[in-house]
Amino acid sequence: MYVRAYLRASTKEQDAERAREQLEGFAQERGLTIAASYVENESGASLKRPELFRLLKDSKPGDILLVEQVDRLSRLNAEDWDSLKRMITDRGIRVVALDLPTSWMMMKSDDELTARMMGALNAMMLDMLAAIARKDFADRRRRQAQGIQKAKAEGKYRGRPVDAERHQVIAEMIEKGLSWSQVSRATGASRSTISRVMSEHRGTITE
């Protein structure tokens, strides 16, 4: 059995590794060591999370997926959450979250009956916290949209400020012959951002 820590933050401006020490301490208190950590800055509302899927691929039956909170694993809609759960279940992975005490029992090796009962209880609690995390995400998005709509109506909304220096770096990298994929990896810019930058500098360029 291996313990695999999953650390996620939504944006590159946030520290995805913030909870590493807390997760390591939690495992050590139970006589376990984290075998590998998987860190990424991606939205929990999306299944496009390379590090999470690398963790799932690396895991063997009985391994533990350790997270600080359930919302680090999922802010997914019901359909995507069901899909992720199936992948976790099919691989025999046990999810343990620091904010879900019922999951802590999954780190112990009990008899089959106790393990099955705790597994069923933990699955129910995971579903509940995942649903709460999704609602919190949806509520924040709705409030954000309402705030933008109000600001636009009052003539106060200007959108995100343009990072002129970053845009210049992107343009120079493209002009030096780097591919869009290379520029994206180096700067963290999306393809839509790169396209917009190049349109501003010298017309639309396609890779």
Side-chain angles (χ1 to χ4, degrees):
M1 177 192 75
Y2 291 102
V3 179
R4 303 179 187 277
Y6 179 63
L7 301 105
R8 181 193 66 79
S10 297
T11 68
K12 294 185 183 299
E13 287 73 30
Q14 297 173 331
D15 183 9
E17 299 205 38
R18 173 187 53 79
R20 181 186 291 275
E21 185 175 345
Q22 189 176 5
L23 294 179
E24 289 176 346
F26 178 85
Q28 288 173 3
E29 287 173 3
R30 288 153 180 81
L32 299 171
T33 301
I34 293 177
S37 296
Y38 302 76
V39 184
E40 64 187 347
N41 291 81
E42 300 288 350
S43 172
S46 171
L47 277 177
K48 295 180 179 179
R49 284 184 270 163
E51 285 300 294
L52 174 59
F53 283 94
R54 188 168 71 87
L55 183 156
L56 297 181
K57 182 179 179 181
D58 291 347
S59 296
K60 306 297 182 186
D63 283 0
I64 291 170
L65 191 170
L66 181 63
V67 291
E68 177 197 13
Q69 297 176 324
V70 174
D71 66 6
R72 297 302 87 197
L73 179 62
S74 173
R75 289 184 181 274
L76 299 165
N77 59 39
E79 181 180 357
D80 286 345
W81 170 235
D82 285 342
S83 177
L84 178 59
K85 276 196 306 179
R86 281 195 300 272
M87 286 184 274
I88 291 172
T89 301
D90 289 348
R91 291 186 173 275
I93 300 168
R94 293 176 284 176
V95 176
V96 176
L98 270 59
D99 67 338
L100 182 56
T102 58
S103 70
W104 301 355
M105 293 295 294
M106 305 299 288
M107 301 184 80
K108 298 181 178 180
S109 297
D110 294 309
D111 62 89
E112 182 181 355
L113 176 60
T114 302
R116 290 180 64 180
M117 290 177 63
M118 291 308 302
L121 175 61
N122 193 51
M124 180 182 69
M125 296 300 295
L126 272 174
D127 279 341
M128 183 179 72
L129 289 184
I132 292 173
R134 177 65 185 188
K135 184 178 185 301
D136 176 67
F137 171 80
D139 286 347
R140 287 192 292 109
R141 291 291 294 271
R142 184 177 64 254
R143 289 194 296 269
Q144 182 183 45
Q146 290 171 343
I148 290 174
Q149 185 176 13
K150 180 180 179 182
K152 285 181 176 179
E154 296 174 353
K156 298 178 181 179
Y157 182 71
R158 296 291 181 271
R160 294 182 179 179
V162 173
D163 188 337
E165 183 176 352
R166 184 189 188 208
H167 283 198
Q168 183 62 36
V169 169
I170 290 171
E172 290 176 355
M173 291 175 74
I174 290 292
E175 289 172 357
K176 289 179 180 177
L178 275 72
S179 71
W180 284 23
S181 295
Q182 290 172 319
V183 173
S184 179
R185 285 195 296 269
T187 65
S190 66
R191 295 180 71 87
S192 61
T193 296
I194 296 172
S195 177
R196 184 168 62 253
V197 170
M198 298 316 298
S199 294
E200 293 170 355
H201 276 74
R202 53 186 179 83
T204 302
I205 294 179
T206 58
E207 186 180 20

